[in-house]
Amino acid sequence: MLTNDLIKYLRQKYGLTFKQMLANNRNIFVLMPPNSDDFFAILSRVPNQQIGISEDGHAVTLDLKCGDFSQTLVDLPGFTKSFRIKSNNWVGMWLNQVNDEEVKKTVDYAYKLALNGEVKTTGQYLLIPEEEKSSASETYHAERIPPRKTHKTSEPIKGKNSINNIPPEIEKMLQSYDYTILPALGRQKNFYYQGQLMAGYEDNYEQNYVFNRFYPTYHDMTVHQLRTYFTWRTKVRKGVYDATSRSYVFIYIYELLNQIGIKQPEEGYKLLTDLYNNYVLQFDPEIASYLKRWIKDYVVFYNLTDYKSKVLSTEIEEDKLTKELLTPKDSTELIANLEKISTYHGKSPLDKDKYQDLIFFVWNKLLSHKEYFDFAREVLFVTTTREYYFFSRALLYKRKPKFEVFSITENRKFYQKDGRTYYQYLSPVTRQKTKLNAVLHEIDRLSRLEYQRGRKLKANTLNQAMVLVIEQAVKDFHQAEIEAQRPKIRINFEHLNKIRSDASETRESLLTQEEKELERQAKNELETEEKQEKVSEKEQTVEGITSKALPYGLTADEYFFLMSLWHQTSWKENLQQKHLMPSILADAINEKLFDEIGDSIIEFDGEEPQIISDYLPDLADLFSEE
């Protein structure tokens, strides 16, 4: 439950607000009932180091004075001994591990207890009005008090299933129930010891009785239901799976979790997976999520490392993605993983392979930078450590996990500390997708500026230090690309003496021939260039506009055709004079502007070309100066 939700609930329902306990300490707040100075609740922030969590920060806890009921609550998931008050009348809870309804009910109980006081009645009293008192003529007659109903073993069962026909094993189990154990531990402990008594029992009961109950135990069943269950379990142990009441299935699961009827944990794992495959998926898929989670817990709890790759495959795959993002091998792997967690779909005007290599280069620069920011912790993943409760919502008698450290991957593990189990793993940072999109957007934006390609993009609110690192990385990548494209001259020095000798012998004749040849080549090249310039200038000039000033590689005819369609002026006469086809010009324009628009900009309505209206704003941006 969120702290703000708890404060809002107390204010709306009871008109109560937490008050600061000490003037100079804003980590502890208390809650008191009306007209009283005795507090019944303590809201506090406890440093993680004090409760065995390695990462920095605080955990929000709530201590409540629930009297004797505290001993019942202390063993429930999310509850623990009081953090601030060392008393059996107080119970503590991790506010973020207990759901809203359970928090509200516990707070309500503590408030009513504080309001009414812990007054215990020592007996029961019956008030008889004066007019209803017995007359003097009436005398007292002793009457036999009917015996109190005993356990279900004494319930009347008709026919062949009378009390005398109860199997002795079941009767012994029923009589073994210990009512002296506190409820907080009684259900689990009695279930475990009764289960051990019945571990090898088999039955062949012909009748079938329905049984439906939350958190079921043997103690909740009648003799008919017990015999129905043990008959079903006998068949399951022989590989026969018949549909039955869901509560019977949970009883069987609880037995396996508590190692009832099995010798080794490996045997229990096999039976749980057999139940999942042969019964749950076929007859009751609604409980599949519970059993899958408990099987994972079972593998960790009993330290079955041989099965972790199969049972914990989801976690292993998540950590594989995490590792590949933190230490990518190549651009292909990085891009494939980014597409799984990012939604940035900007289309870079650069060549696809080049752009992917650029992202890979910049990504590694960001990961290696540690001076002004930690890219991995701020944008990707953060180490999370939390206390872990095995077999949540299952019935498990207290037992210690069979491991000190259970490593799933190098970044995910369970470990024991001070009698508690902790779960440590790398989790995505808050708003990871948004932050990743911002990084990829800046790489796209700055690469366009460096290569002078495509439209300019607007800068976003990414950390300025990261922007500077990205900008420098893009420049370094571009410079390395330019250096790689420069021609390399290789000289074989082994033949240098021979070259010098040959050059000495033919030096005079070679120089004369070379000079003549160079002069002739230079003259031919000059004449060719002059002719080409005159033809190009003549052919590409249209109404005073030359291709030298035209953007995006458009020719003068293409530019004239595009501007005419945009401004809706005449173009047909000009094209007819030059014997040009509108469809060919349109295809050329669409191809040259595709990188900027991302689509064809000109389409034909019958024989008439026209600019698609959706792209008129983009066209205005591209030719804003025209």
Side-chain angles (χ1 to χ4, degrees):
M1 186 177 193
L2 298 177
T3 306
N4 289 338
D5 293 340
L6 174 62
I7 294 173
K8 183 178 179 181
Y9 172 75
L10 290 168
R11 183 171 61 250
Q12 291 179 346
K13 185 168 184 178
Y14 299 118
L16 301 178
T17 56
F18 283 99
K19 297 182 179 179
Q20 193 171 329
M21 188 174 185
L22 301 174
N24 59 347
N25 190 332
R26 295 190 58 80
N27 289 327
I28 305 177
F29 297 83
V30 297
L31 194 66
M32 295 172 287
N35 304 320
S36 175
D37 294 331
D38 294 330
F39 51 84
F40 67 92
I42 305 175
L43 183 69
S44 57
R45 296 198 312 156
V46 181
N48 286 339
Q49 288 76 10
Q50 293 184 12
I51 53 179
I53 299 177
S54 58
E55 64 185 58
D56 296 335
H58 294 75
V60 180
T61 63
L62 180 66
D63 293 333
L64 292 167
K65 187 178 182 181
C66 295
D68 294 339
F69 193 48
S70 298
Q71 297 305 301
T72 302
L73 296 171
V74 72
D75 291 318
L76 297 177
F79 289 83
T80 183
K81 292 182 179 180
S82 175
F83 297 93
R84 301 290 183 181
I85 303 293
K86 303 303 180 183
S87 170
N88 291 334
N89 291 327
W90 285 74
V91 65
M93 71 171 73
W94 308 95
L95 204 57
N96 65 336
Q97 295 183 15
V98 183
N99 64 49
D100 293 9
E101 288 303 315
E102 290 179 356
V103 173
K104 291 177 182 179
K105 289 179 180 178
T106 310
V107 170
D108 291 344
Y109 181 89
Y111 173 71
K112 292 175 182 177
L113 191 64
L115 202 61
N116 298 325
E118 298 186 60
V119 180
K120 299 181 180 179
T121 58
T122 57
Q124 296 180 349
Y125 300 89
L126 179 64
L127 178 63
I128 303 177
E130 192 70 27
E131 60 273 13
E132 294 184 14
K133 287 184 178 180
S134 303
S135 62
S137 60
E138 294 179 337
T139 57
Y140 170 77
H141 298 282
E143 294 183 2
R144 182 176 179 274
I145 299 176
R148 194 175 202 172
K149 289 185 178 180
T150 59
H151 194 267
K152 295 181 179 69
T153 55
S154 62
E155 63 183 7
I157 306 177
K158 297 180 181 180
K160 64 179 180 179
N161 295 317
S162 64
I163 187 66
N164 296 325
N165 291 327
I166 296 178
E169 295 89 348
I170 292 180
E171 188 169 8
K172 181 181 179 180
M173 182 199 73
L174 294 173
Q175 292 174 353
S176 69
Y177 192 87
D178 189 353
Y179 289 90
T180 64
I181 307 175
L182 291 173
L185 188 61
R187 288 177 63 82
Q188 293 93 326
K189 186 174 182 179
N190 276 305
F191 175 82
Y192 179 75
Y193 284 109
Q194 286 184 315
Q196 293 293 358
L197 286 174
M198 305 299 290
Y201 177 72
E202 294 184 355
D203 207 334
N204 189 22
Y205 195 47
E206 295 180 356
Q207 301 184 56
N208 184 29
Y209 281 78
V210 176
F211 176 49
N212 292 307
R213 188 180 181 89
F214 288 106
Y215 305 106
T217 65
Y218 306 118
H219 188 63
D220 300 320
M221 291 189 277
T222 66
V223 174
H224 294 297
Q225 292 168 336
L226 285 168
R227 297 202 65 185
T228 299
Y229 167 69
F230 288 119
T231 299
W232 178 82
R233 188 184 73 174
T234 301
K235 293 181 179 180
V236 169
R237 287 180 174 180
K238 295 178 180 179
V240 179
Y241 296 88
D242 294 329
T244 189
S245 299
R246 180 178 294 178
S247 295
Y248 290 141
V249 182
F250 277 116
I251 289 282
Y252 180 62
I253 294 173
Y254 297 164
E255 287 181 351
L256 298 179
L257 298 182
N258 285 277
Q259 305 292 280
I260 295 173
I262 56 178
K263 296 180 180 179
Q264 298 295 332
E266 290 82 0
E267 181 184 354
Y269 169 78
K270 182 180 183 305
L271 293 174
L272 285 168
T273 53
D274 287 346
L275 180 71
Y276 179 83
N277 294 324
N278 298 322
Y279 182 88
V280 173
L281 295 181
Q282 182 175 355
F283 297 110
D284 198 355
E286 290 184 6
I287 67 173
S289 59
Y290 290 99
L291 187 53
K292 284 184 67 176
R293 186 173 72 249
W294 291 337
I295 290 175
K296 288 184 179 182
D297 284 355
Y298 187 94
V299 168
V300 177
F301 190 91
Y302 291 106
N303 199 21
L304 304 180
T305 55
D306 291 342
Y307 303 105
K308 70 178 182 180
S309 60
K310 181 177 181 180
V311 174
L312 300 166
S313 58
T314 301
E315 290 78 5
I316 292 173
E317 190 63 28
E318 289 177 358
D319 287 354
K320 179 175 178 291
L321 171 64
T322 300
K323 182 179 180 180
E324 290 176 352
L325 285 170
L326 294 175
T327 55
K329 294 179 181 179
D330 51 47
S331 60
T332 302
E333 179 184 85
L334 176 62
I335 297 301
N337 288 324
L338 286 176
E339 289 177 350
K340 296 176 183 178
I341 59 176
S342 172
T343 57
Y344 182 76
H345 298 303
K347 183 176 177 61
S348 172
L350 302 182
D351 174 75
K352 181 179 179 181
D353 292 337
K354 179 194 294 187
Y355 186 62
Q356 290 185 355
D357 291 340
L358 171 63
I359 292 178
F360 178 73
F361 182 83
V362 175
W363 189 267
N364 283 303
K365 290 290 185 181
L366 289 169
L367 286 171
S368 62
H369 186 90
K370 301 295 181 183
E371 185 175 358
Y372 297 108
F373 59 84
D374 188 333
F375 180 71
R377 292 191 61 182
E378 293 180 29
V379 178
L380 299 176
F381 305 99
V382 62
T383 301
T384 298
T385 304
R386 61 182 177 89
E387 188 172 359
Y388 192 83
Y389 299 92
F390 288 104
F391 308 113
S392 175
R393 299 187 180 278
L395 201 65
L396 185 76
Y397 182 51
K398 281 189 173 181
R399 54 179 58 229
K400 185 179 179 181
K402 305 299 181 181
F403 67 90
E404 290 300 322
V405 177
F406 187 96
S407 296
I408 301 173
T409 66
E410 59 182 287
N411 293 320
R412 188 184 298 265
K413 66 180 179 179
F414 292 86
Y415 65 91
Q416 302 292 317
K417 184 176 181 180
D418 300 330
R420 300 176 184 270
T421 301
Y422 293 93
Y423 185 27
Q424 187 177 87
Y425 55 97
L426 290 180
S427 60
V429 300
T430 305
R431 300 176 64 246
Q432 182 198 65
K433 185 181 296 184
T434 301
K435 294 177 180 179
L436 269 178
N437 289 345
V439 170
L440 295 175
H441 173 87
E442 285 301 289
I443 295 176
D444 187 8
R445 181 180 73 86
L446 293 171
S447 65
R448 290 173 183 238
L449 292 176
E450 174 66 21
Y451 284 87
Q452 297 182 358
R453 297 283 300 277
R455 284 184 295 161
K456 293 182 180 180
L457 301 178
K458 293 182 179 179
N460 55 30
T461 57
L462 187 65
N463 181 334
Q464 190 59 34
M466 289 187 190
V467 174
L468 293 175
V469 171
I470 293 172
E471 184 177 17
Q472 186 60 47
V474 171
K475 290 181 179 179
D476 292 345
F477 180 86
H478 191 197
Q479 186 61 36
E481 185 182 21
I482 293 173
E483 291 294 332
Q485 291 176 351
R486 288 181 178 175
K488 301 294 187 295
I489 300 175
R490 299 181 181 275
I491 300 175
N492 190 339
F493 290 96
E494 294 179 358
H495 303 292
L496 185 58
N497 291 332
K498 188 176 184 306
I499 294 173
R500 288 175 177 173
S501 176
D502 293 342
S504 178
E505 294 177 0
T506 59
R507 178 172 51 194
E508 294 298 328
S509 60
L510 287 175
L511 287 174
T512 303
Q513 294 175 5
E514 182 180 0
E515 289 173 352
K516 292 180 179 180
E517 182 65 22
L518 289 175
E519 183 178 0
R520 185 181 64 80
Q521 290 180 359
K523 184 177 180 181
N524 292 338
E525 289 177 358
L526 181 61
E527 292 175 353
T528 302
E529 288 178 359
E530 290 176 351
K531 291 179 180 180
Q532 288 179 346
E533 288 178 358
K534 291 179 180 180
V535 171
S536 176
E537 184 175 354
K538 180 178 180 180
E539 291 181 348
Q540 296 184 6
T541 300
V542 178
E543 297 188 10
I545 302 175
T546 65
S547 60
K548 295 179 181 180
L550 299 179
Y552 311 114
L554 296 174
T555 66
D557 293 320
E558 292 166 358
Y559 182 81
F560 169 79
F561 182 60
L562 178 62
M563 292 297 109
S564 297
L565 292 178
W566 184 17
H567 298 297
Q568 297 183 355
T569 58
S570 176
W571 50 267
K572 292 183 179 180
E573 183 178 355
N574 185 281
L575 267 62
Q576 288 174 356
Q577 290 177 356
K578 295 188 175 185
H579 306 288
L580 296 175
M581 296 180 65
S583 59
I584 295 177
L585 289 176
D587 289 341
I589 293 170
N590 287 335
E591 181 178 356
K592 292 179 179 179
L593 296 184
F594 186 83
D595 285 341
E596 309 299 327
I597 303 297
D599 197 357
S600 296
I601 193 173
I602 299 175
E603 64 178 4
F604 280 80
D605 183 10
E607 297 293 330
E608 292 295 320
Q610 60 183 15
I611 296 176
I612 299 174
S613 59
D614 291 342
Y615 298 127
L616 288 174
D618 297 298
L619 193 62
D621 290 341
L622 294 175
F623 298 94
S624 57
E625 298 180 359
E626 302 301 327

